Amino acid sequence: MNGFEIIDKLERLKKAELSEYAFLVSNINEEIAEYAREKAVAAQKRVYGNKIFARGLIEISNICKNDCLYCGIRRSNKACERYRLTEPEILACCEEGERLGFKTFVLQGGEDGFFSDEVLSKLVKEIKKRHSGCAVTLSLGERSRESYELLKKAGADRYLLRHETADKAHYEKLHPKEMSFKNRIKCLETLKELGYQAGCGFMVGAPYQTPETLAKDLKFIEEFSPDMCGIGPFIPHKDTPFADRSAGTLKMTCFLLSVIRLIKPNILLPATTALGTIHPKGREMGILAGANVVMPNLSPLSVRKKYELYNGKICTGEESAECKICLEKRMEQIGYEIVADRGDIVK
Ligand code: 5AD
Ligand code: FES
């Protein structure tokens, strides 16, 4: 089968062999990318029309006990200036978010021990009480089943935990010894079992990534069938062991967005900040490749620069309201519209 035939097959069956996924990513060219893009956008429009969902992202802490080799807030980075938002600060971000029309709040942060089950449960309950009808998404790393369960009971609706790579050996090259691929995947399974809308994801162009590891990522998405999938280019951070690596590309990221849209037409797929960082029109191009979510930053301006997973991150000097207006304009320019909606997956 050639690349076009594999794309046809994906559109029809929503699955492919590992070898076919690997063939696709190693033989990407303009024509195939365009072919996939058109079919992906057709699927996106069938399910979501020209509507784009927005999530207000609140970066609650950059304190992290983990030491992922690619990440700017890894614990070994002594140059990283640490912060943790207080509960009133987080609630104020949500207040501002509601004023701006957001109906989903994403609390994202490093694995910061301060955010115990008790602290987080109280916070989630308070947010759900103050903003009825809003969804709360957590993106706070690996926790125990009991913890995920308590947070679900407290009202959390969704959980994002990028799997990072679906290849164990690759996972081990990106993470320190104390982190395990097995536990990562177990966490995702648990989240799904507990009834969360669960999101996985990976970085495009991560160090040591190959067509074979990418094929496994696509197979994982096909089989795990996440509700959401966060993918963006890897971008080096100067104070990490991967400082000298090159960034992932716009082309490959957009192509993978299209392929993922074909595998799962109703998936919630963000055009990420990292994509907007490697190219001024990156997020627009992500939407035009099949993405249907944007995640404007709602964090207080005072901490924006400190949540630096990678260098050059955009939107660190803009107020939340500015990002909202900016994104609305950007989406409008390409014929899409941001809607004030919880933006649950269409099943
Ligand atoms: N470049 C791009 N994305 C990164 N992430 C962490 N470090 C980087 C980087 N250098 C991503 C990881 C993580 C998410 C919160 O950010 O995939 O899961
Ligand atoms: Fe933040 Fe454009 S989205 S400045």
Side-chain angles (χ1 to χ4, degrees):
M1 261 200 253
N2 65 32
F4 299 99
E5 290 165 338
I6 299 173
I7 297 293
D8 287 340
K9 171 173 170 177
L10 270 183
E11 186 187 36
R12 213 173 51 244
L13 303 178
K14 308 186 183 0
K15 59 181 186 186
E17 301 298 324
L18 263 182
S19 59
E20 293 168 336
Y21 286 131
F23 179 89
L24 269 184
V25 297
S26 22
N27 293 282
I28 161 176
N29 60 41
E30 291 295 336
E31 290 72 43
I32 298 203
E34 182 57 24
Y35 192 70
R37 208 180 69 71
E38 279 166 19
K39 291 192 181 296
V41 168
Q44 168 212 55
K45 296 232 157 132
R46 260 196 307 278
V47 185
Y48 294 103
N50 72 336
K51 309 256 178 286
I52 300 294
F53 298 136
R55 321 293 193 197
L57 180 65
I58 308 169
E59 296 154 333
I60 65 172
S61 168
N62 71 352
I63 298 171
C64 191
K65 71 171 163 58
N66 279 340
D67 215 19
C68 308
L69 276 74
Y70 44 82
C71 184
I73 67 168
R74 66 199 300 263
R75 68 160 187 265
S76 307
N77 182 7
K78 297 290 180 293
C80 172
E81 205 186 309
R82 306 287 168 171
Y83 76 89
R84 174 189 295 139
L85 298 184
T86 63
E87 181 175 310
E89 285 173 322
I90 298 169
L91 292 169
C93 291
C94 294
E95 207 59 57
E96 168 77 350
E98 166 146 324
R99 216 180 51 76
L100 294 173
F102 296 121
K103 299 251 177 283
T104 291
F105 303 117
V106 182
L107 308 188
Q108 182 173 91
E111 293 193 11
D112 176 352
F114 173 82
F115 288 102
S116 63
D117 299 341
E118 294 66 42
V119 170
L120 272 177
S121 295
K122 180 163 167 275
L123 179 62
V124 171
K125 279 184 195 151
E126 190 62 30
I127 296 174
K128 296 288 288 199
K129 188 169 107 201
R130 294 190 184 192
H131 308 283
S132 63
C134 286
V136 170
T137 304
L138 301 177
S139 178
L140 298 165
E142 298 177 24
R143 304 178 74 95
S144 67
R145 184 186 184 95
E146 295 64 47
S147 172
Y148 288 146
E149 208 166 354
L150 282 167
L151 297 172
K152 185 86 190 30
K153 288 212 179 94
D157 304 275
R158 313 183 182 131
Y159 205 102
L160 302 173
L161 183 72
R162 289 189 175 182
H163 65 289
E164 309 298 354
T165 168
D167 179 281
K168 181 169 180 289
H170 185 208
Y171 189 90
E172 289 166 0
K173 289 184 185 154
L174 299 176
H175 299 94
K177 276 196 285 296
E178 62 273 17
M179 288 178 73
S180 95
F181 175 65
K182 204 170 140 198
N183 194 55
R184 195 84 177 170
I185 301 298
K186 195 182 96 193
C187 285
L188 279 164
E189 302 281 2
T190 303
L191 288 163
K192 206 174 178 189
E193 275 170 33
L194 293 173
Y196 279 94
Q197 293 176 40
C200 65
F202 60 93
M203 296 177 290
V204 178
Y208 309 109
Q209 188 172 68
T210 64
E212 287 67 39
T213 66
L214 275 177
K216 286 191 184 178
D217 290 320
L218 295 171
K219 188 47 104 181
F220 177 72
I221 291 163
E222 179 198 299
E223 291 176 348
F224 179 68
S225 192
D227 299 293
M228 311 170 280
C229 182
I231 72 162
F234 160 74
I235 303 172
H237 187 291
K238 63 179 172 36
D239 302 312
T240 65
F242 294 150
D244 299 327
R245 301 288 180 141
S246 46
T249 66
L250 177 71
K251 267 186 196 157
M252 186 57 100
T253 307
C254 288
F255 181 61
L256 289 166
L257 285 169
S258 299
V259 170
I260 294 169
R261 172 66 61 201
L262 291 176
I263 295 173
K264 210 176 147 60
N266 63 344
I267 197 168
L268 296 162
L269 204 52
T272 56
T273 303
L275 191 53
T277 297
I278 56 160
H279 189 282
K281 287 268 147 78
R283 285 168 299 180
E284 288 89 327
M285 289 163 87
I287 299 294
L288 293 170
N292 70 322
V293 173
V294 291
M295 300 176 70
N297 204 317
L298 274 183
S299 308
L301 216 47
S302 56
V303 305
R304 292 265 180 114
K305 263 211 116 21
K306 298 181 191 158
Y307 199 81
E308 196 180 37
L309 308 180
Y310 47 83
N311 291 136
K313 189 174 162 208
I314 54 167
C315 301
T316 57
E318 282 77 10
E319 291 285 357
S320 308
E322 294 180 75
C323 284
K324 192 213 171 199
I325 293 169
C326 168
L327 274 172
E328 274 173 356
K329 280 202 197 116
R330 286 169 183 268
M331 295 300 113
E332 196 184 303
Q333 273 165 10
I334 56 170
Y336 287 81
E337 181 197 4
I338 297 185
V339 290
D341 190 304
R342 259 176 66 118
D344 288 299
I345 189 166
V346 171
K347 294 252 174 161

